Amino acid sequence: MVTFRILDVIYIIALRIGTEMTKKHFSSIFHKFFSSFDKVYNEKGELQELDDIAGPFKEQAFFEMRDTFSFEMAFLAYIPLCKLTGRNYMEKTLKNDDFIRQLCIQSSLSKNDAAVSSPQIAHRRDRSLGQDESFVSGIFGKNVVVIGNRLDVRLGDDNHTLFSTSPNGDKPALKCDMNLIKRKMDDSQRHLKGNWLAYWEHETGRSDKDQHFDFKQIKLQTFIGHTGTVRGIEILDNENSFITCSKDKTVKLWSLRSWGDGSAQSPSQWTYTHHRKSVFALSFLDSLRLVGSCDGTVHIWDPFLGSCIKQLEPTKGSPVTVLAAMPSPSMSFLAATTNSTVRFLDARTCRYMHEFKVNVGTTGLIRSLSVSPNGNWLAVGHSTGMLSVLDVRTGLVFGTWLGHEGEVLQLKAFNNTSFLTSSLDQSLTVWKFEDAQAKCHLKGPMEPVTCICFYGNEVISGTSGNRIGLHSSTDKAAVYSSSRLRSDTFKGILTTMALLPLNRLLLLGTDNGNVVLLC
């Protein structure tokens, strides 16, 4: 009975994740399971002898394996998996594929003549399936029904109760109430419909070679809960959750679910309420899975447990203006202060370890900073339009120069050799980190770019005029296209933006406190 239930679980998971993911992750499981038949039968499909078995426990275990791994078990396990994954896959995965197929053939023969020539097999089948086959999967996989995009398990009993054989073996005993553990979701929320259906139809119809970001401006969901301007959005590593910070002095955790018709409004899952001022910076430290948020005071907390670990008050005369996380495997946050200093905050000890002075001139406040993907260098943008690049390992400044005629709005490291900046002077520029020369100026946006994201080699930008732009590359030959956000899909002024690259979705924060999910 236990083996049949394990097969049910494997098959249900395989149906849910699909053929390709099953082939990728379940090969070793299939191999180990079907190799068990080699220990019970010889090459001719006959039961092994017990001559080499010593001790009562080994002998008992062998007889239990004989009762479990029968011809019928081979048939019920192999055929559905073969239909799901394909004959060629099973041949490559199972070293004993031909042998398992022979057992399946013998199972079919034994079923046709069970009453006369195979009483032992019929007895094994009765023992495997228990007293009442209606409460066990039996022919595994046949109790699973696909309804819409949901898998439904049919137990075959109106009361939805699960029985097991009582200790004396004479009658079934109540084991648990399935109503308490099934917890079916409402079909009206779970099934794809409306804009979500249009989105997935478009995604599944795309070629695997099509790696371009295609912004169709389809509204999928709205997240409500903030009462002030959304200042930052941070996607967690699984892309099923994200966090936001706002002027309303809170940081909220949200869950992404593909339900609704595009007009659905989702509340937050949890709210961090320990800030006393407007929260303007937010970052997720991947190596320790901790969040850093800042309102002048840096807060380090666990988004999964909802617990505050440490609050670090700013030193006198130098409050924190920007907070960012170092890339993995580093365990440090970067905190930029008003006196043009970048301080390294160790999240393990919650203490500032060392600091780098960016420059000694009148460069203004640090407005943005970004670390290269390899964690070797740091680029800093100032309120005066000045740019600085320094070596994270030594603290030496590679250079400081005037990059823009207006305040630097955004600065993002593109790869290990270059970074992008945007400014109030309406320019979008690509720089090489090793020198003070611009690699190129990206043409297109005629408004200040307040948001920058990367998708592969493409640059996605958001402007103060609610325009989403796309540059095909970061060189002079880049092709630019843009579209203004429509009033029926986006209300308010765009303040921040984050990209979900796996599903090619955009999260847009607004000045009215809402976050909108678009594709």
Side-chain angles (χ1 to χ4, degrees):
M1 180 183 295
V2 175
T3 307
F4 278 107
R5 293 209 177 278
I6 294 175
L7 285 173
D8 271 338
V9 172
I10 294 175
Y11 189 66
I12 290 172
I13 295 175
L15 285 177
R16 167 55 71 188
I17 66 178
T19 301
E20 295 303 321
M21 294 294 287
T22 300
K23 293 179 180 179
K24 182 177 180 181
H25 298 289
F26 277 34
S27 296
S28 60
I29 297 177
F30 295 160
H31 172 72
K32 292 178 181 178
F33 177 81
F34 287 103
S35 63
S36 301
F37 289 92
D38 294 334
K39 301 177 182 179
V40 179
Y41 301 96
N42 57 27
E43 296 179 355
K44 298 180 180 180
E46 300 173 348
L47 292 173
Q48 297 277 17
E49 298 297 333
L50 303 178
D51 298 338
D52 299 330
I53 297 180
F57 295 104
K58 291 185 178 180
E59 182 176 351
Q60 180 180 358
F62 182 79
F63 279 111
E64 289 181 358
M65 288 190 65
R66 285 176 50 176
D67 289 341
T68 301
F69 293 97
S70 60
F71 298 153
E72 190 172 17
M73 173 65 75
F75 179 85
L76 296 179
Y78 182 84
I79 299 301
L81 293 176
C82 190
K83 290 181 179 180
L84 179 65
T85 59
R87 170 72 187 279
N88 293 335
Y89 167 78
M90 297 298 284
E91 288 181 347
K92 295 179 181 179
T93 304
L94 305 182
K95 294 182 179 180
N96 60 346
D97 180 74
D98 291 337
F99 174 64
I100 297 298
R101 292 179 65 84
Q102 290 298 324
L103 295 181
C104 292
I105 294 174
Q106 293 190 44
S107 172
S108 300
L109 294 176
S110 63
K111 285 181 180 179
N112 295 333
D113 202 19
V116 179
S117 60
S118 303
Q120 293 181 351
I121 293 178
H123 174 66
R124 281 198 300 269
R125 182 177 67 250
D126 293 339
R127 289 186 59 184
S128 299
L129 296 180
Q131 299 286 338
D132 188 349
E133 294 187 20
S134 65
F135 303 111
V136 185
S137 301
I139 302 177
F140 116 84
K142 287 193 174 182
N143 63 326
V144 180
V145 181
V146 179
I147 301 178
N149 71 323
R150 174 171 58 84
L151 293 175
D152 188 34
V153 181
R154 303 291 178 84
L155 296 179
D157 182 75
D158 293 336
N159 295 325
H160 301 295
T161 53
L162 184 64
F163 290 84
S164 61
T165 304
S166 59
N168 55 16
D170 56 352
K171 60 180 180 179
L174 182 63
K175 185 176 181 180
C176 63
D177 184 0
M178 289 299 294
N179 287 319
L180 299 179
I181 63 176
K182 290 183 69 174
R183 299 184 64 184
K184 290 185 178 180
M185 298 183 68
D186 187 4
D187 292 346
S188 63
Q189 292 187 356
R190 188 59 180 168
H191 289 172
L192 297 178
K193 59 183 180 180
N195 291 350
W196 275 105
L197 183 59
Y199 162 70
W200 283 112
E201 285 178 345
H202 178 272
E203 286 297 305
T204 56
R206 294 182 63 168
S207 170
D208 293 338
K209 297 181 180 179
D210 185 3
Q211 297 299 322
H212 298 289
F213 185 83
D214 184 13
F215 185 63
K216 302 173 289 296
Q217 203 167 157
I218 298 177
K219 183 180 178 180
L220 301 177
Q221 208 161 349
T222 302
F223 302 88
I224 59 173
H226 282 302
T227 58
T229 301
V230 180
R231 302 290 297 275
I233 302 176
E234 189 77 12
I235 308 295
L236 300 190
D237 50 0
N238 57 10
E239 286 200 14
N240 291 325
S241 306
F242 67 96
I243 48 180
T244 58
C245 64
S246 170
K247 280 187 175 182
D248 62 8
K249 306 177 185 179
T250 66
V251 182
K252 292 183 179 292
L253 173 68
W254 314 79
S255 292
L256 284 167
R257 296 288 186 270
S258 55
W259 64 277
D261 58 359
S263 61
Q265 295 182 341
S266 300
S268 62
Q269 299 296 314
W270 182 76
T271 302
Y272 181 81
T273 58
H274 295 287
H275 284 283
R276 293 170 293 182
K277 299 179 182 178
S278 172
V279 187
F280 56 80
L282 180 69
S283 191
F284 180 69
L285 186 62
D286 184 67
S287 57
L288 295 179
R289 300 179 67 78
L290 296 177
V291 171
S293 53
C294 182
D295 61 355
T297 299
V298 177
H299 293 230
I300 300 177
W301 48 281
D302 190 326
F304 305 100
L305 298 178
S307 58
C308 179
I309 299 175
K310 186 72 173 181
Q311 297 183 21
L312 292 92
E313 297 291 339
T315 57
K316 187 176 181 180
S318 57
V320 176
T321 58
V322 180
L323 183 69
M326 288 285 290
S328 183
S330 176
M331 301 180 184
S332 300
F333 288 100
L334 298 175
T337 64
T338 54
N339 60 355
S340 297
T341 300
V342 177
R343 308 181 70 184
F344 286 73
L345 171 58
D346 191 328
R348 295 168 296 182
T349 61
C350 294
R351 295 180 179 179
Y352 289 110
M353 305 304 295
H354 56 275
E355 62 183 37
F356 293 153
K357 190 72 174 179
V358 177
N359 58 71
V360 296
T362 56
T363 57
L365 300 176
I366 296 179
R367 290 303 190 193
S368 58
L369 57 83
S370 183
V371 190
S372 63
N374 58 15
N376 290 341
W377 52 268
L378 169 68
V380 179
H382 301 267
S383 58
T384 58
M386 299 291 292
L387 300 175
S388 302
V389 179
L390 56 86
D391 192 327
V392 173
R393 297 162 294 183
T394 64
L396 297 177
V397 178
F398 285 115
T400 299
W401 67 96
L402 182 62
H404 295 279
E405 296 180 357
E407 178 180 342
V408 177
L409 298 177
Q410 285 286 305
L411 187 152
K412 291 287 184 69
F414 179 69
N415 51 33
N416 291 327
T417 61
S418 60
F419 63 95
L420 268 74
T421 59
S422 66
S423 170
L424 279 176
D425 61 11
Q426 301 182 8
S427 62
L428 187 62
T429 309
V430 183
W431 305 88
K432 297 180 180 179
F433 88 95
E434 295 177 332
D435 50 42
Q437 295 181 356
K439 180 180 177 181
C440 68
H441 296 280
L442 297 180
K443 299 180 180 180
M446 302 302 294
E447 302 165 334
V449 174
T450 57
C451 309
I452 297 176
C453 294
F454 301 123
Y455 181 75
N457 293 324
E458 299 175 327
V459 180
I460 305 171
S461 60
T463 70
S464 57
N466 287 0
R467 181 175 294 276
I468 302 297
L470 179 67
H471 288 88
S472 59
S473 64
T474 58
D475 52 42
K476 294 181 179 179
V479 178
Y480 176 74
S481 60
S482 67
S483 60
R484 190 176 296 277
L485 294 170
R486 302 192 306 268
S487 59
D488 60 327
T489 60
F490 186 85
K491 299 183 184 300
I493 299 175
L494 177 64
T495 57
T496 184
M497 177 174 68
L499 171 70
L500 287 78
L502 294 180
N503 293 319
R504 291 183 277 231
L505 302 174
L506 283 179
L507 281 169
L508 307 181
T510 67
D511 63 334
N512 56 29
N514 293 339
V515 179
V516 183
L517 181 65
L518 300 177
C519 69

